[in-house]
């Protein structure tokens, strides 16, 4: 059994100036080797949930908080984000508003400076990180003269500077082109596979993430509806059709056109197997031929 | 217009000779020149200061930008000269007007040179060397670094509101002031959102985690920096000497515009000439 990295129990939070709870009774366990994808519509509470894991909630945002959060078995409720920075790296959605230094290198150095790391060690760490993330080229550049993808890589490098075992990323691909979003996901996959980082990623478009993640959690109006392996979640009734990845969704649309909607839907859900998920169009055609009865 | 003025404060990250000078030396230079410029009441010394600063603007690759700023300020400069020349009750009002304008021109050059060649990081490092708390130094450099972002955003919001039919530059001054409200609210809201997100981010990067913060780069004086400081102090010493001993400046330094070329006289002559055209 793999090690527990995060354990949330009955976590509830209401922002001070808000009337309804942003998240209610969320319980979730995340293993140290997980690459978890948090899915949910806009406003469903993804950011709020993620912020409870690095102490921004309830230590930075005022509000009503309930429940317990453990990181590596340790209760973190009274630890502020700065104290947790060595355990959790956090990357935010908007690259521009999370970078406060004038060069990429200085941005990566910032957390290390905060912790009083000696200068020569800071330089060694920057060397390692720019190589790991493939951003040697922009090391001395201004974060405002580089692309959005490069800005997010800079933010990831800064979040990794203190070598936390866990990285949380809140809709980091939202401002990126499809290509740089893909590159970024590949790097996260590498961090997860080769550098043993726990990765928690929130997204509201999940297609491109499916190749890399091993778990999905679905949140709706502040409640965690379901979490587990891809297969468990995507074939569950709790999971909305609209958020299915494109190819299964195509099946779903076809089924709706056919008369036998209910029958198809349940059949599809039962037979749906993520391991055989068609990624390319030719995969899809192959699958269509097997499922001959829906040929037209 | 508003954003063009802000451009003047932009740091240019090129590598001119003046970029290599320690910001503390440059800050001293700014202080000394400001004192001298404000306290000298004669035309020739100010022209000499201006003459000394122009080569520096070339060295810093600042000359073109400075000229652009002067061009924007030209109406103000002319106004200063004309108002002083016409309204001051002294012997040589036009000379005073020109002196006032010269002060403005020199100070735009000096402060421009400083902001052009000192990066926000250098400013915060300088404040830290002056033993101000890091939090304060960080706030200053961050505010400074967000100027271009906010200026850019202001332009976007202005364009957006204009495209929705807001007439920003119509009507009298009160009407215009009221027209600014639909601009200020989104600008303010967005600045608040930005600073909140920034606070979250630095908090998550271990802000204030320890008392003894280290720095990747910190300022180190080189030999030429001591030279710069020495020269600034020498200039300041000379200036103090002149002020304290009250020695008269040499005659050639006390030059002023002769009374027959006073702006008032020139205007009167022009007026008479125009009147002459009509009475003919
Ligand atoms: N700072 C805040 N103050 C008050 N309410 C907030 C704040 N941030 C988010 N909310 C509310 O909490 C709910 C969840 O928001 P959020 O966690 O940002 O969702 P998501 O990240 O999934 O879009 C929303 O209803 C939102 O309006
Ligand atoms: Mg969000």
């Amino acid at each position: 059994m793999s090690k527990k990295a995060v354990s949330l129990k009955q976590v509830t939070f209401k922002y001070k100036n808000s009337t309804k709870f942003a998240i209610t009774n969320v319980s979730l366990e995340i293993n140290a080797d997980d690459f978890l994808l948090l899915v949910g519509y806009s406003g469903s509470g993804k950011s709020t949930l993620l912020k409870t894991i690095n102490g921004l909630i309830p230590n930075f945002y005022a509000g009503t908080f309930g429940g317990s959060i453990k990181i590596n078995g340790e209760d973190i409720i009274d630890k502020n984000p700065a104290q947790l920075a060595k355990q959790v790296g956090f990357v935010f959605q908007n690259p521009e508003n999370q970078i406060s230094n004038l060069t990429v290198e200085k941005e990566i150095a910032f957390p290390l400076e905060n912790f009083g790391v000696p200068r020569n060690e800071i330089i060694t760490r920057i060397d390692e990180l720019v190589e790991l993330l493939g951003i040697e080229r922009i090391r001395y550049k201004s974060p405002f003269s580089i692309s959005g993808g490069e800005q997010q890589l800079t933010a990831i490098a800064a979040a990794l500077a203190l070598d936390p075992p866990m990285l949380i990323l809140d809709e980091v691909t939202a401002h990126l082109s499809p290509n740089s979003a893909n590159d970024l996901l590949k790097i996260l996959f590498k961090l997860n596979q080769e550098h043993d980082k726990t990765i928690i990623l929130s997204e509201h478009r999940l297609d491109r993430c499916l190749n890399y993640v091993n778990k999905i959690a679905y949140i709706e109006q502040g409640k965690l509806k379901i979490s587990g392996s891809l297969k468990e979640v995507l074939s569950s009734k709790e999971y909305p059709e609209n958020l299915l990845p494109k190819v299964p969704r195509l099946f779903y649309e076809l089924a709706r056109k056919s008369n036998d909607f209910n029958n198809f839907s349940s059949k599809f859900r039962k037979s749906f197997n993520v391991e055989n998920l068609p990624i390319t169009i030719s995969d899809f055609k192959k699958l269509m031929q097997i499922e001959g009865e829906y040929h037209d | 217009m508003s954003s063009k003025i802000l451009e003047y404060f932009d740091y240019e990250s090129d590598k001119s000779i003046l970029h290599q000078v320690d910001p503390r030396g440059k800050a001293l230079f700014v202080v000394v020149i400001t004192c001298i410029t404000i306290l000298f009441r004669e035309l020739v010394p100010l022209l000499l200061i201006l003459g000394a600063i122009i080569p520096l603007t070339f060295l810093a690759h600042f000359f073109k930008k400075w000229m652009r700023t002067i061009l924007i300020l030209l109406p103000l400069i002319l106004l200063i000269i004309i108002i002083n020349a016409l309204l001051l009750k002294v012997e040589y009002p036009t000379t005073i007007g020109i002196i006032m304008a010269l002060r403005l021109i020199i100070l735009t050059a000096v402060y421009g040179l400083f902001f052009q060649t000192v990066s926000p990081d250098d400013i915060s490092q300088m404040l830290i060397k002056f033993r101000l708390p890091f939090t304060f130094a960080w706030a200053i450099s961050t505010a400074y670094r967000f100027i271009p972002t906010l200026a850019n955003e202001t332009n976007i919001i202005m364009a957006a509101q204009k495209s929705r039919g807001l007439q920003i530059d119509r009507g009298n001054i009160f009407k215009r002031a009221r027209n600014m409200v639909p601009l200020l609210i989104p600008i303010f809201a967005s600045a608040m959102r930005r600073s909140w997100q920034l606070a979250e981010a630095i908090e998550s990067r271990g802000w204030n985690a320890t008392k003894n913060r280290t720095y990747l780069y910190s300022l180190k004086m080189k030999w030429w920096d001591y030279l710069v400081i020495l020269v600034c102090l020498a200039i300041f010493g000379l200036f103090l000497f002149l002020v304290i001993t009250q020695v008269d400046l040499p005659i050639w330094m006390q030059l002023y515009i002769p009374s027959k070329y006073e702006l008032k006289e020139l205007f009167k002559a022009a007026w008479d000439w125009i009147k002459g055209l009509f009475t003919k």
Side-chain angles (χ1 to χ4, degrees), chain B residues 61-238:
Chain B
H61 308 161
F62 177 58
F63 185 74
K64 261 196 200 151
K65 201 157 146 195
W66 179 43
M67 282 298 122
R68 248 182 283 142
T69 314
I70 298 289
L71 211 64
I72 294 172
L73 292 177
L74 201 59
L76 181 65
I77 291 170
L78 292 178
L79 205 68
I80 289 173
I81 297 177
I82 292 170
I83 288 183
N84 279 297
L86 299 185
L87 300 182
L88 272 191
K89 298 265 180 290
V90 293
E91 213 175 332
Y92 303 109
T94 305
T95 314
I96 303 282
I98 293 175
I99 286 172
M100 296 278 199
L102 263 180
R103 280 179 186 154
L104 181 66
I105 293 171
I106 292 171
L107 293 184
T108 51
V110 174
Y111 284 87
L113 276 176
F114 184 80
F115 285 118
Q116 173 92 10
T117 61
V118 177
S119 77
D121 279 349
D122 284 347
I123 291 183
S124 81
Q125 278 305 323
M126 182 176 80
L127 296 176
I128 287 159
K129 289 282 183 203
F130 291 153
R131 307 211 169 275
L132 283 149
F134 170 71
T135 319
F136 181 75
W138 183 87
I140 296 282
S141 74
T142 304
Y144 182 48
R145 100 108 176 94
F146 265 101
I147 287 175
T149 315
L150 291 179
N152 188 20
E153 194 159 81
T154 306
N155 281 344
I156 293 171
I157 291 173
M158 233 194 244
Q161 297 290 52
K162 269 186 185 164
S163 74
R164 295 164 65 186
L166 179 74
Q167 298 184 326
I168 294 161
D169 21 50
R170 292 277 173 83
N172 62 30
I173 194 151
F174 297 105
K175 195 126 181 274
R176 279 187 200 201
R178 222 179 41 217
N179 287 345
M180 293 302 278
V181 175
L183 290 183
L184 289 180
I185 291 170
I187 289 169
F188 188 72
S190 131
M192 288 292 287
R193 193 173 53 242
R194 265 182 206 287
S195 51
W196 187 262
Q197 291 183 356
L198 196 64
E200 276 184 316
I202 61 166
E203 203 46 56
S204 309
R205 307 264 185 276
W207 174 258
N208 257 350
T210 56
K211 287 271 173 309
N212 21 23
R213 199 178 192 278
T214 47
Y215 296 94
L216 175 58
Y217 295 113
S218 57
L219 297 174
K220 275 202 194 66
M221 293 274 218
K222 311 268 174 24
W223 62 265
W224 60 80
D225 295 314
Y226 291 106
L227 197 68
V228 169
I229 289 174
L230 215 63
V231 170
C232 287
L233 289 177
I235 296 173
F236 198 60
L238 184 71

Side-chain angles (χ1 to χ4, degrees), chain A residues 61 97 99 105-106 117 119, chain B residues 121 145 194 200 214 216:
Chain A
Y61 284 88
N97 292 351
I99 296 178
E105 172 187 64
K106 286 177 188 167
V117 175
R119 187 173 176 269
Chain B
D121 279 349
R145 100 108 176 94
R194 265 182 206 287
E200 276 184 316
T214 47
L216 175 58

Side-chain angles (χ1 to χ4, degrees), chain A:
Chain A
M1 207 44 217
S2 54
K3 224 174 84 210
K4 289 269 168 296
V6 183
S7 154
L8 303 176
K9 284 217 174 66
Q10 300 288 311
V11 175
T12 295
F13 186 72
K14 181 165 82 67
Y15 289 97
K16 196 176 161 209
N17 50 3
S18 170
T19 50
K20 68 179 206 322
F21 279 85
I23 49 174
T24 30
N25 294 332
V26 173
S27 297
L28 178 66
E29 306 254 295
I30 302 168
N31 292 334
D33 54 4
D34 276 347
F35 189 152
L36 176 88
L37 177 65
L38 179 61
V39 188
Y41 292 109
S42 183
S44 58
K46 298 186 295 296
S47 301
T48 308
L49 180 58
L50 294 180
K51 282 170 192 173
T52 62
I53 305 177
N54 89 325
L56 279 170
I57 290 173
N59 290 295
F60 190 77
Y61 284 88
T64 319
F65 179 86
S68 89
I69 305 167
K70 289 201 173 107
I71 292 183
N72 299 324
E74 194 188 350
D75 218 309
I76 58 149
I77 293 299
D78 6 86
K79 292 199 171 168
N80 63 38
Q83 289 168 307
L84 288 173
K86 279 188 171 170
Q87 296 177 60
V88 187
F90 203 110
V91 185
F92 298 82
Q93 176 171 358
N94 187 327
E96 205 180 39
N97 292 351
Q98 63 183 308
I99 296 178
S100 60
N101 292 272
L102 279 169
T103 65
V104 167
E105 172 187 64
K106 286 177 188 167
E107 181 64 24
I108 301 173
F110 183 75
L112 299 159
E113 293 175 330
N114 285 332
F115 275 88
V117 175
R119 187 173 176 269
N120 53 343
E121 287 175 36
I122 294 181
I123 294 172
T124 320
R125 188 72 188 129
I126 296 171
D127 291 342
E128 288 168 9
L129 284 165
V130 292
E131 201 203 313
L132 177 64
L133 298 180
I135 50 173
E136 296 99 331
R137 244 173 352 91
I138 54 166
R139 176 171 181 163
Y140 302 104
K141 283 205 175 161
S142 155
F144 308 100
S145 65
I146 59 182
S147 72
E150 289 167 332
Q151 285 179 332
Q152 283 302 33
L153 288 176
T154 304
I156 291 175
L160 286 174
L162 295 162
D163 203 15
M166 184 179 352
L167 196 58
I168 299 178
L169 306 101
D170 189 3
E171 298 202 40
V172 287
T173 61
H175 293 270
L176 306 186
S177 68
N179 272 343
S180 38
N182 254 333
D183 293 345
L184 196 141
L185 286 166
K186 273 185 202 142
I187 285 175
L188 294 181
F189 189 59
K190 184 170 97 177
L191 288 171
N192 177 246
Q193 298 289 308
E194 293 167 25
H195 300 266
D196 301 324
K197 303 282 181 201
T198 314
I199 310 269
I200 306 170
L201 174 75
S202 85
E203 272 290 336
H204 65 270
R205 288 163 301 184
L206 75 168
D207 281 271
R208 52 184 170 226
C209 310
L210 289 181
N211 284 341
Y212 309 112
V213 303
N214 70 332
K215 289 219 176 121
I216 300 191
Y218 170 66
I219 185 171
E220 186 181 297
Q221 295 189 6
K223 296 191 182 70
L224 195 77
K225 286 289 185 182
I226 180 160
S227 68
S229 71
L230 271 71
K231 190 172 174 176
E232 278 171 325
V233 174
L234 294 182
S235 54
S236 150
K237 279 236 158 31
E238 299 282 0
Y239 193 85
E241 321 282 3
N242 274 340
L243 287 179
L244 282 174
K246 275 200 192 91
V247 174
R249 193 164 162 210
L250 198 54
F251 271 100
Y252 175 75
E253 296 290 338
L254 283 171
R256 202 156 50 176
K257 279 197 194 112
S258 79
N259 308 324
D260 194 11
F261 176 79
N262 283 328
N263 183 18
F264 179 92
S265 188
S266 63
K267 192 173 171 195
F268 158 66
R269 281 183 180 287
K270 264 197 223 107
S271 65
F272 179 54
N273 185 349
V274 181
E275 275 75 63
N276 304 333
L277 187 76
I279 306 289
T280 63
I281 297 203
S282 66
D283 284 352
F284 177 64
K285 276 185 182 157
K286 241 184 253 161
L287 209 73
M288 291 290 285
Q289 260 137 38
I290 295 164
E291 305 271 317
E293 43 185 312
Y294 302 104
H295 210 67
D296 41 329

